[in-house]
């Protein structure tokens, strides 16, 4: 949750001015980070206020499906964003002094990939819990 919100704030603070040149990769990543963060906050809210819901949600297919879709979306949108950042923003970074957007957006897609891997691992653990392997 913390890494996802950090990625989203980096993308909003540094990438918004160049969203026209980055194109759909920026909006794809921002959409992925937003819906994933909102669902994680909703699940965290349910887990905090009801211990029984934590056990029931871990047994359901929802958490497995959510984490699988989130992992796929994070990894695919980060690879797309990484390709665009390196092909569009890197040339600007080499000629413009103190161009802070390239390092920030590079950190964004690297941290987003890490968040995708974490969601993938949680999907694996949720699936094992769903099948009864505790």
């Amino acid at each position: 949750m913390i890494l996802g919100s950090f990625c989203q704030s980096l993308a909003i603070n540094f990438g918004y001015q160049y969203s026209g040149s980055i194109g759909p990769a920026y909006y794809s990543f921002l959409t992925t980070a937003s819906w994933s963060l909102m669902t994680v906050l909703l699940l965290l809210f349910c887990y905090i206020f009801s211990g029984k819901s934590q056990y029931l949600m871990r047994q359901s297919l929802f958490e497995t499906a959510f984490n699988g879709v989130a992992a796929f979306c994070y990894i695919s949108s980060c690879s797309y964003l990484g390709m665009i950042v390196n092909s569009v923003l890197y040339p600007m970074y080499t000629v413009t002094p103190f161009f802070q957007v390239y390092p920030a957006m590079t950190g964004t897609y690297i941290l987003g990939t890490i968040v995708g891997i974490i969601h993938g691992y949680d999907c694996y653990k949720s699936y094992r819990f769903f099948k009864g392997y505790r």
Side-chain angles (χ1 to χ4, degrees), residues 54-60 63 122 125-126 129-130:
Q54 180 178 6
Y55 183 73
L56 292 173
M57 285 291 236
R58 293 295 285 180
Q59 277 186 327
S60 71
E63 189 159 345
D122 197 25
K125 295 300 276 185
S126 297
F129 196 82
F130 175 68

Side-chain angles (χ1 to χ4, degrees), residues 44-65:
L44 186 65
F45 179 77
C46 290
Y47 292 166
I48 287 173
F49 290 110
S50 174
K52 192 180 262 189
S53 70
Q54 180 178 6
Y55 183 73
L56 292 173
M57 285 291 236
R58 293 295 285 180
Q59 277 186 327
S60 71
L61 187 60
F62 171 74
E63 189 159 345
T64 304

